[in-house]
Amino acid sequence: MTDVLRSTAAELADRLAAGEISSVEVTQAHLDRIGATDDAIHAFLHVDADGALATAREADTRRAAGDEVHPLAGVPVAVKDVITTKGLPTTAGSRILEGWVPPYDATVTKRLKAAGLPILGKTNMDEFAMGSSTEHSGYGPTRNPWDTARIPGGSGGGSAAAVAAFQAPLAVGTDTGGSIRQPAAMTGSVGVKPTYGGVSRYGLIALASSLDQAGPVTRSVLDAALLHEVIAGHDPCDSTSIEGPVPAVVDAARRADVQGLRIGVVRELGGEGFQADVSARFTEALALLEGAGAEVVEVSCPSFEHALAAYYLILPSEASSNLARFDAMRYGIRVRPDGVDDPSAEQVMAATRDAGFGDEVKRRIILGTYALSSGYYDAYYGSAQKVRTLIARDFETAFQQVDVLVSPTSPTTAFPLGDKLDDPLAMYLQDVATIPANLAGVPGLSLPSGLASDGLPTGIQFLAPAMADERLYNVGAALERLLHEQWGGPILDRAPELEVAR
Amino acid sequence: MTEPVSGITRADVAHLADLARISLSDDELDHLATELPAILEHVAVVQQAAGDDVTPMSHPIPVSNVFRADEVVPSLAPEEALAGAPEREEQRFLVPKILGEES
C-alpha cells in the first residue's frame, strides 16, 4: 500500500499545501484502493469517481492559482448513505429508497463541498441506521477489514470500514445510539458524536430526531477535529442547531495535555458483561493517562442502568413516526399488492412498506407504534422520557466532579457475521455504553485502546459536557500519542493486509 | 389507565401492523408475536425507574420555536420535486385511488 493511502488527512493537507502531491493523485489512489478492496469489504453502496475527480481537479486548479482554500480542500471523504447528496443515490441502506437521487444537499454535504473535499461515494449502513453490525443493510453487510468474517459494527459500519481499510482518509457518520463510536471501536478507528445540535441535521434522513447527530470518522483524533470543524456550526435549516461558535476542537487536539485533568470512570459502564480484554485495555489506558498527570477517579451514574431500556422505547417511538414518510407516493419504490385489482393508496402503502423495509425496521416500527398507543403511552414512552431526565441529571452531577467521563466503547470486540442476528436484545447490548450520551445530548469520542487476545481492536470512549467537545479531543489526542509511543505507531499498522483484487 | 401488560398477542401485532401500514406476512406476524413480548419485558423496567415527580425529557436541549426572516429564497423546481416520484402526470404526483370500494 502506498504512503498516500496510509497518510492521515492532516498529512495529506500539508503535502497538498506544499505542492508535493495533487488532489487528483490522492483521490485517484483512494478510488483505486476502493476498486481493489471493496469486493471484500463492501463499505460503499455507491462510488462517484467522476464527481470526486472533478472536485479534486478544481482543488488543484485553485491551489495552483494561489487562491485561498480550506486546509482540507482536495482531501477525499466518504459520506454515510443516510446523508443526502444532490445527484448521488441516497438510500439510507433501505430497499424502499432504492434508486432515489435526492434533489438537494444536506447541510453537511454543502459544507464538505464548500470546503472542497472530493466525495468518494456513499457508505453502507444498517437500514435507516437501525443496528450495530451493518448486517441489517438492505444491500448486504459490510465486512470488518481486520477479519472479513466479522462485523464492522453499526450502523455506520461502511464509514468505519472505509477509513480502516484505507479506502478513504475521512468519512462522515451519524450516531443515534452509538453508530459512529461502536464501529470505530470494532475497526480500530476514531469516531466522534458531537454535542446534539452541534452539526446540522438538515438533509440527514431522520431515525430518531432527538438523538441523531452526524460526526467525523477517521484514523486519528486530529483528523476528526479537522473534519468536525468543517461540518459543524449553526444552520438556520435545523431548528435544533446550536447558535454560537463551534468548540475549538482542532486547537484542543493539538494541545493534547492531560496534566491536572480530572477523569471519571463510570462505574455502571464496565465490569459484568464486558469482555476481559476490553476491560484490561481500558485499565491500561487509564494508567497511561494517570502517568501523564491526569487524575482518575470513579464516579457513579446509577440511572445509566436503565438507559438501554429507555432508548429502546424512545428510538422506536420516534422512528415509527419519522418513517411514516415512506408512503410510496412522492419518492422511493411503489409496490402493488398481489391479487388486488385497482388497489387503494393505503393498500399500496402497506404492500410497499412490507416489501421495502427489512426485519429490524419493521420490528422497531411495530414496537414504536405500540409504545405510542393510547393507553400505553404514559407507561412506556412517558416513563422512558422520565428516565431520560434522570440520565441527564446523572451527567450533570458527574461533571461537577470531573472534566470528562470514560468507559470502554463497546462491551466486546467484533463478533462473527450472523452471530447476533436472531437475538435482537443481544445486538442491542452492543450500545449499552454509548447510548447514555445520545439520551442526554452530550458529546462522545471513541478511539482504539489496543488489541484483544483474539487480535481484534478494542475501544475507549470519552464523554464531555454539552458544548465542551474540545475536552474530548484534548484527552483523546493525549491518549492516542501515549498509545502510539507504546505501539510504535497507529493500531491500524497492525491490521492484516487485505487481499487486493487486480 | 389500564396497567400495560407485556402479553402482546398475535392479534395485537396484526393490529399494530395495520396502524403502521405494513402488510406483514403470517410468518412475520408469528415471529414478531414471540419477539416483541421479550423486548417489552426488558424495556418495561422504565416504569419502575422514575417517580411521579420527575419531569419527562423530550429533547436534549431546550427547544423553542425559531422564526426566520420572511425572505424569498429559491425552492425546488417542479421537475426536481417530481424527479423521485414513482408515477407522475404532468406536474403532479400520480397516486392510487384514495377511497376504497366501500366509500
Side-chain angles (χ1 to χ4, degrees):
Chain A
M1 206 187 319
T2 66
D3 62 334
V4 169
L5 295 176
R6 291 235 169 234
S7 297
T8 65
E11 289 162 357
L12 291 174
D14 288 345
R15 294 178 66 186
L16 285 166
E20 293 168 14
I21 193 166
S22 74
S23 174
V24 168
E25 287 171 71
V26 172
T27 304
Q28 189 61 58
H30 286 94
L31 289 168
D32 291 346
R33 174 75 177 168
I34 294 167
T37 56
D38 213 39
D39 280 349
I41 302 298
H42 195 224
F44 285 85
L45 292 178
H46 181 83
V47 176
D48 183 26
D50 292 348
L53 288 169
T55 307
R57 273 191 294 275
E58 197 184 315
D60 288 340
T61 307
R62 292 190 58 196
R63 272 213 176 82
D67 290 359
E68 183 132 334
V69 295
H70 189 280
L72 288 182
V75 179
V77 64
V79 176
K80 190 177 181 183
D81 202 38
V82 74
I83 296 169
T84 58
T85 41
K86 187 173 179 173
L88 281 190
T90 301
T91 67
S94 182
R95 289 282 176 185
I96 209 163
L97 277 177
E98 190 165 11
W100 184 56
V101 179
Y104 73 108
D105 275 330
T107 298
V108 165
T109 309
K110 272 188 200 150
R111 288 179 191 255
L112 294 173
K113 287 182 176 175
L117 282 76
I119 294 174
L120 294 166
K122 306 299 291 290
T123 57
N124 197 12
M125 56 185 285
D126 285 297
E127 185 176 5
F128 291 112
M130 298 188 201
S132 307
S133 68
T134 319
E135 291 167 292
H136 293 304
S137 167
Y139 303 92
T142 297
R143 291 165 183 273
N144 194 318
W146 288 79
D147 177 351
T148 54
R150 289 175 186 267
I151 60 107
S155 70
S159 284
V163 300
F166 300 95
Q167 297 175 328
L170 301 170
V172 180
T174 61
D175 189 312
T176 305
S179 288
I180 288 176
R181 291 164 287 158
Q182 183 257 8
M186 298 293 111
T187 58
S189 51
V190 175
V192 181
K193 182 201 94 68
T195 297
Y196 181 83
V199 178
S200 171
R201 290 183 297 107
Y202 180 73
L204 195 166
I205 297 171
L207 168 54
S209 307
S210 78
L211 304 167
D212 297 341
Q213 187 58 206
V217 177
T218 63
R219 291 192 297 266
S220 84
V221 174
L222 176 60
D223 282 3
L226 291 166
L227 185 56
H228 187 132
E229 287 197 355
V230 173
I231 60 175
H234 181 250
D235 177 18
C237 293
D238 174 1
S239 66
T240 59
S241 169
I242 294 168
E243 288 207 55
V246 176
V249 293
V250 173
D251 287 350
R254 292 208 160 105
R255 192 164 61 246
D257 177 11
V258 293
Q259 187 67 46
L261 188 80
R262 290 168 306 160
I263 300 174
V265 179
V266 184
R267 187 184 303 153
E268 289 77 10
L269 301 182
E272 203 190 327
F274 284 68
Q275 203 174 304
D277 287 340
V278 170
S279 302
R281 296 299 91 78
F282 175 68
T283 309
E284 289 157 18
L286 295 181
L288 281 179
L289 288 165
E290 267 183 320
E295 184 193 335
V296 179
V297 297
E298 189 178 81
V299 296
S300 178
C301 296
S303 297
F304 284 14
E305 188 193 333
H306 301 305
L308 191 69
Y311 178 82
Y312 275 100
L313 286 164
I314 291 169
L315 179 138
S317 298
E318 293 191 23
S320 69
S321 169
N322 274 324
L323 269 57
R325 63 169 58 87
F326 299 101
D327 59 7
M329 298 299 139
R330 293 152 299 155
Y331 44 74
I333 60 167
R334 178 177 286 179
V335 175
R336 290 171 196 286
D338 283 339
V340 183
D341 286 336
D342 192 20
S344 70
E346 286 204 346
Q347 289 172 315
V348 170
M349 210 178 282
T352 302
R353 287 161 66 81
D354 181 48
F357 288 148
D359 289 344
E360 182 65 18
V361 172
K362 290 174 185 172
R363 183 153 46 223
R364 295 202 200 180
I365 289 176
I366 300 291
L367 185 58
T369 306
Y370 180 72
L372 293 177
S373 301
S374 165
Y376 300 102
Y377 183 97
D378 288 341
Y380 286 112
Y381 187 59
S383 299
Q385 288 190 315
K386 287 183 179 180
V387 171
R388 200 171 179 179
T389 303
L390 297 180
I391 286 163
R393 284 185 196 161
D394 278 358
F395 271 118
E396 220 170 286
T397 308
F399 286 130
Q400 282 164 8
Q401 303 162 58
V402 295
D403 300 306
V404 293
L405 294 171
V406 68
S407 79
T409 310
S410 176
T412 69
T413 54
F415 47 88
L417 288 158
D419 220 29
K420 298 184 197 292
L421 263 183
D422 297 326
D423 188 352
L425 281 171
M427 186 77 90
Y428 298 170
L429 272 172
Q430 278 293 305
D431 294 328
V432 69
T434 45
I435 278 170
N438 299 79
L439 289 171
V442 305
L445 174 150
S446 176
L447 75 151
S449 57
L451 295 181
S453 53
D454 54 14
L456 296 167
T458 57
I460 182 170
Q461 163 189 244
F462 293 98
L463 304 169
M467 313 283 283
D469 304 43
E470 73 282 356
R471 292 187 197 174
L472 304 176
Y473 287 95
N474 176 43
V475 65
L479 177 59
E480 180 183 65
R481 190 179 59 210
L482 295 164
L483 288 168
H484 284 191
E485 280 166 14
Q486 200 172 67
W487 300 333
I491 196 96
L492 280 161
D493 285 355
R494 299 205 251 163
E497 281 278 346
L498 287 169
E499 242 179 81
V500 170
R502 289 179 199 281
Chain B
M1 203 192 69
T2 51
E3 191 61 24
V5 288
S6 42
I8 183 170
T9 64
R10 191 179 186 280
D12 294 334
V13 177
H15 176 60
L16 292 165
D18 196 38
L19 290 174
R21 304 288 185 274
I22 306 175
S23 312
L24 294 179
S25 66
D26 285 344
D27 280 355
E28 288 177 312
L29 288 173
D30 290 343
H31 204 58
L32 280 170
T34 58
E35 262 174 6
L36 286 183
I39 297 173
L40 281 172
E41 194 185 315
H42 182 83
V43 298
V45 297
V46 296
Q47 292 165 16
Q48 274 77 50
D52 292 339
D53 56 329
V54 179
T55 322
M57 174 175 165
S58 64
H59 234 267
I61 53 172
V63 180
S64 53
N65 194 15
V66 177
F67 292 98
R68 64 166 170 80
D70 186 15
E71 286 161 0
V72 177
V73 292
S75 60
L76 291 181
E79 271 309 312
E80 292 173 304
L82 286 161
E87 286 178 87
R88 54 184 288 190
E89 194 177 271
E90 297 173 1
Q91 285 198 352
R92 296 186 290 257
F93 294 99
L94 186 63
V95 303
K97 64 181 179 187
I98 300 297
L99 300 175
E101 286 302 323
E102 68 276 18
S103 307

